[in-house]
Amino acid sequence: MGLRPGGAEPVARIECRGGKRWAWLYRIDLAKPKFAMTLADEATLDKAMAKHQTCGTCGRRYFHCIPLKPLGSCFECYDGTPADPTSYIAPPAPDHRLAA
Ligand SMILES: [Zn+2]
């Protein structure tokens, strides 16, 4: 709903999956609007996410975080497991200059 608790205490707790998943519920009339993210906030977040999603070997940026800590690269670079081409953004093309 684009709202945040704004300091209000929860008034109830909803559970599903036998209590394995749950969430606090808050009064809507006491809630405040969410803080809007600025372009600078988005750029900072994007930069942080890029670190976890970009393979240092092939330069692809995946739409999900890749296991860089244990593997050091994406699965395709690590063991040849082909990556779904829809799961990443291709690295920027090398700078080709036309000779005159
Ligand atoms: Zn890679």
Side-chain angles (χ1 to χ4, degrees):
M1 293 178 77
L3 300 171
R4 62 187 168 93
E9 292 296 315
V11 290
R13 182 174 133 143
I14 186 169
E15 292 182 353
C16 60
R17 295 188 194 163
K20 281 186 191 160
R21 293 190 50 106
W22 56 270
W24 293 120
L25 298 177
Y26 299 87
R27 281 177 49 183
I28 292 170
D29 60 325
L30 297 179
K32 297 191 167 113
K34 262 190 203 169
F35 294 111
M37 207 185 246
T38 65
L39 267 181
D41 292 335
E42 284 188 37
T44 303
L45 180 61
D46 184 60
K47 209 171 159 188
M49 289 306 291
K51 273 188 193 166
H52 300 283
Q53 297 172 328
T54 307
C55 172
T57 306
C58 65
R60 290 173 181 160
R61 179 169 174 183
Y62 289 84
F63 295 114
H64 54 84
C65 294
I66 55 176
L68 290 173
K69 274 228 170 107
L71 306 183
S73 65
C74 67
F75 281 110
E76 192 165 314
C77 292
Y78 178 72
D79 64 5
T81 305
D84 177 354
T86 62
S87 70
Y88 61 83
I89 302 167
D95 192 15
H96 290 293
R97 291 169 200 268
L98 295 176

